[in-house]
Amino acid sequence: MEKREDQILRAAVGIFGSRGYERTSLQDIADVVGVTKPALYYYFRDKDTLYARVVVEALRQLVDYVEARVSRHSEPEDRLREFLMSAATFLGEHRETWLLASGGFWSAATGDYREEALRLRDHFEGMLRDALAQAISAGALRSVDVALAGRLLLSGLNQMHRWHSPDGPLSVVEVADRYLDFVLNGLRAERPAAVSEPPAGARRARRARSPVK
Amino acid sequence: MEKREDQILRAAVGIFGSRGYERTSLQDIADVVGVTKPALYYYFRDKDTLYARVVVEALRQLVDYVEARVSRHSEPEDRLREFLMSAATFLGEHRETWLLASGGFWSAATGDYREEALRLRDHFEGMLRDALAQAISAGALRSVDVALAGRLLLSGLNQMHRWHSPDGPLSVVEVADRYLDFVLNGLRAERPAAVSEPPAGARRARRARSPVK
């Protein structure tokens, strides 16, 4: 039989996930589990503590989901692509859990579960950075700051729930795939194949025109 | 002399901007302006309405700031770069106003100021999309979905306040410059200059290995 604490946690993931922090009361959660409010307090000190525990649980589910899929690949670029595709798939299929993991992180990172929240976040971002660093070592990618490159891709994922509509032309997984294409291949036009190849330094020279101001 | 309504609005931008929506009361704002709470209600129906008006004001300041700088350039790529650099400069120098414009938009987009908030947001994003579309027309960039490419860059900007520390090695403007470099030039390694140039189809072939799954 499922432990009472786990029952509460499972109910809380569902209710916080669908209504958000503000519109959820401990009474709502107690009602779903079928316990009294004082019984909740036996397991969780207050609403903030329960919420932080819920966010950590959501983060753990996200990390486990993505890690299981990334670990099937050995090529750095396949691992990089799998990270983004599986994170986007998780967002598409477990939207409420994604929102808890992504949006709740900043509040969970301040209380009782701070250490665990930071550890999971670092592990998640670490998978992305490692794949980028390995692709650089293998010579497939140029030597950029992997933390910054990872942040741009994660920012794209983290903002997606704000604007993406399930009725739109592209799924979240397709959007993540386009983002990865933009970042891997760049937006610069290439010369048409019929035109002779530009000299070897041409692209590098364009890049040199873009210094930090 | 400054109109009373403008005084209230200016005080509200400062207080909502520094404390956030939850921790700001109408009494706080009335105290700063030196009026009674009923006097506030003469100008603004409730806290949500005043907050939405404040967000629209913040958006207007951001749009005016960026537009004044983008309009100094005629080359599409210069306009694209200026959009990102000036938006990041605004974030660095007017952080609280940025947070109101960026974070408050989704709540402002539901009430009395919905039309105005949407118009300003569309105008802001439109500057970025137009610069991208013009650069594509000019043949400088490949023909991608400008809405998606713009969203990736804006996502990078919108998430920056979450993780960026003013004590870190890069300013927000430098981070935005790196993001633009990643997206314009891509992360793919180039052959060293000493090695002979790859055939014209090589980069295209790599790209073709990355279809939407």
Side-chain angles (χ1 to χ4, degrees):
Chain A
M1 205 182 111
E2 191 179 20
K3 282 196 312 189
R4 180 55 47 92
E5 189 175 347
D6 293 338
Q7 285 182 329
I8 296 169
L9 190 58
R10 191 161 49 83
V13 169
I15 298 175
F16 277 124
S18 55
R19 298 187 198 170
Y21 178 85
E22 295 298 334
R23 284 189 296 276
T24 300
S25 72
L26 286 184
Q27 189 63 56
D28 297 335
I29 295 166
D31 289 348
V32 167
V33 185
V35 296
T36 61
K37 228 169 98 174
L40 278 194
Y41 285 115
Y42 176 78
Y43 296 100
F44 300 98
R45 202 175 62 229
D46 52 28
K47 183 181 168 186
D48 282 355
T49 306
L50 176 55
Y51 183 67
R53 179 72 185 81
V54 159
V55 169
V56 164
E57 176 60 26
L59 262 173
R60 196 190 318 277
Q61 289 178 20
L62 169 63
V63 169
D64 288 351
Y65 184 95
V66 171
E67 188 160 38
R69 283 155 183 80
V70 167
S71 68
R72 290 176 198 153
H73 303 273
S74 55
E75 285 295 315
E77 203 171 313
D78 293 340
R79 292 169 72 90
L80 172 60
R81 174 171 306 279
E82 186 63 68
F83 178 93
L84 287 160
M85 297 302 107
S86 60
T89 303
F90 189 92
L91 161 59
E93 294 182 358
H94 308 282
R95 181 184 164 88
E96 287 158 13
T97 311
W98 169 276
L99 290 180
L100 284 169
S102 162
F105 170 74
W106 303 96
S107 54
T110 55
D112 291 9
Y113 294 96
R114 174 183 159 77
E115 299 279 307
E116 188 63 1
L118 291 176
R119 192 190 68 74
L120 286 163
R121 191 269 316 261
D122 289 348
H123 186 65
F124 185 65
E125 295 194 7
M127 281 191 273
L128 176 56
R129 293 183 191 185
D130 286 351
L132 286 164
Q134 287 158 10
I136 290 169
S137 294
L141 302 187
R142 60 189 172 104
S143 181
V144 295
D145 181 332
V146 295
L148 275 190
R151 279 205 181 99
L152 177 58
L153 290 164
L154 282 174
S155 297
L157 283 173
N158 281 327
Q159 291 273 310
M160 231 182 269
H161 73 274
R162 291 288 200 181
W163 63 266
H164 183 270
S165 159
D167 307 325
L170 296 176
S171 70
V172 285
V173 175
E174 288 167 330
V175 172
D177 190 78
R178 300 289 202 284
Y179 282 174
L180 183 60
D181 168 55
F182 296 159
V183 169
L184 284 182
N185 300 311
L187 297 186
R188 295 253 186 246
E190 299 182 79
R191 303 285 176 97
V195 173
S196 66
E197 191 66 17
R203 263 189 93 229
R204 212 160 292 116
R206 277 202 299 265
R207 194 176 292 160
R209 282 217 321 264
S210 318
V212 174
K213 279 175 189 166
Chain B
M1 205 181 110
E2 191 178 19
K3 282 195 312 188
R4 180 55 49 93
E5 189 175 345
D6 293 339
Q7 286 181 327
I8 295 169
L9 190 58
R10 192 161 48 83
V13 169
I15 298 174
F16 277 124
S18 55
R19 299 186 197 169
Y21 178 84
E22 294 298 334
R23 284 189 298 276
T24 299
S25 72
L26 286 183
Q27 190 62 57
D28 297 334
I29 294 165
D31 289 348
V32 167
V33 183
V35 297
T36 61
K37 231 169 97 175
L40 279 193
Y41 286 115
Y42 176 78
Y43 296 100
F44 300 99
R45 202 175 61 229
D46 52 27
K47 184 181 168 186
D48 282 356
T49 306
L50 175 55
Y51 182 67
R53 179 73 185 79
V54 159
V55 168
V56 164
E57 176 59 26
L59 263 172
R60 196 189 317 278
Q61 288 178 21
L62 169 63
V63 169
D64 287 351
Y65 185 94
V66 171
E67 187 159 39
R69 284 154 184 80
V70 167
S71 67
R72 291 177 197 153
H73 302 273
S74 55
E75 285 294 315
E77 202 171 315
D78 294 339
R79 292 168 73 90
L80 173 61
R81 176 172 304 281
E82 186 63 67
F83 179 93
L84 287 160
M85 297 301 108
S86 59
T89 303
F90 189 91
L91 161 59
E93 294 181 0
H94 309 282
R95 182 183 164 88
E96 287 157 12
T97 312
W98 169 276
L99 291 179
L100 284 169
S102 162
F105 170 76
W106 303 96
S107 54
T110 55
D112 291 9
Y113 295 96
R114 174 184 159 77
E115 299 279 307
E116 188 63 0
L118 291 176
R119 194 190 65 75
L120 286 163
R121 192 271 314 263
D122 289 349
H123 186 65
F124 185 66
E125 295 194 6
M127 281 191 272
L128 176 57
R129 294 183 191 184
D130 287 351
L132 285 164
Q134 287 156 10
I136 290 168
S137 295
L141 302 185
R142 60 189 171 104
S143 182
V144 296
D145 180 332
V146 295
L148 275 192
R151 279 204 181 101
L152 177 59
L153 290 164
L154 283 174
S155 297
L157 283 173
N158 281 329
Q159 291 271 308
M160 233 184 265
H161 73 273
R162 290 287 200 182
W163 61 267
H164 183 270
S165 159
D167 306 327
L170 296 176
S171 71
V172 285
V173 175
E174 288 167 330
V175 172
D177 190 78
R178 299 289 202 286
Y179 283 174
L180 183 60
D181 168 55
F182 296 158
V183 170
L184 284 183
N185 299 310
L187 298 185
R188 296 255 186 243
E190 299 182 80
R191 303 284 175 97
V195 174
S196 67
E197 192 64 17
R203 264 189 93 228
R204 212 161 292 116
R206 278 202 300 267
R207 193 176 293 159
R209 283 217 321 265
S210 317
V212 173
K213 277 173 189 165

